[in-house]
Amino acid sequence: MNTMDVKAARTAAVAAAVGRVREIESRMGVTREALEAIKAELLQLAAQEHLFPSSEFPPPPNGEKGSNRYLLREEDNNRFALYLNALNPGNSTKPHDHTTWAVVVAVDGQELNKVYDRMDDGTDPARCEMRVREEIMVEPGRGIALMPEDIHSIHTTGERPTRHLHMYGLALEKLDGRRAFDDKTGEVSFYNKSFMKPTAGTDR
């Protein structure tokens, strides 16, 4: 396939997958069972690695930290937003929530996700107490599904950049009230929306 053929095939495959995801949410609501069904759809999409070549979706240059986020599709009212995130090894985030459902699957590379339980009652908006409940390695054939209130952190491992599909019930750029949690100091802060802007040159 040449570049134009790949882009056309990717656009069609993404549109079909997002359509099925939209139908799952409409039929089942936002439940863990529904998110598992959505994850299965996205795993099938991510398995078509040739649609997401690193030449079109590179990570930051020279091994730099941070991510390149490419918007693949976003539905009306900013719903059902699908991104490809490309990161180099050695990146990590603070534990954070999304305030919308999220599903992450891998095209290539490994990303360790730590999922946390809050041990406090949440009455103090500036403080938290938490512990790791489980660790999930997102890699080809394996993903993670998160409810709006779930808290996780991301750690890119291995020796190769990651290309992972991230899908959200509402576009990241529209999310207000997302919080970051410091599992060492207990501090709770709000996410800076400036780093949620997608990289230019997306399929949108």
Side-chain angles (χ1 to χ4, degrees), residues 52-100:
F52 309 99
S54 58
S55 58
E56 291 189 51
F57 301 99
N62 305 315
E64 293 174 7
K65 295 292 180 68
S67 68
N68 283 350
R69 176 178 292 121
Y70 303 90
L71 179 62
L72 298 177
R73 188 174 179 88
E74 183 177 328
E75 300 283 271
D76 292 341
N77 300 318
N78 309 113
R79 295 294 323 280
F80 305 105
L82 179 64
Y83 306 83
L84 187 144
N85 270 16
L87 295 86
N88 292 306
N91 275 277
S92 63
T93 67
K94 283 186 176 181
H96 59 274
D97 62 14
H98 294 106
T99 70
T100 188

Side-chain angles (χ1 to χ4, degrees), residues 6 16 64 87 92 95 137 162 183 197-198:
V6 169
E64 293 174 7
L87 295 86
S92 63
M137 183 66 77
T162 64
D183 57 327
K197 296 177 181 177

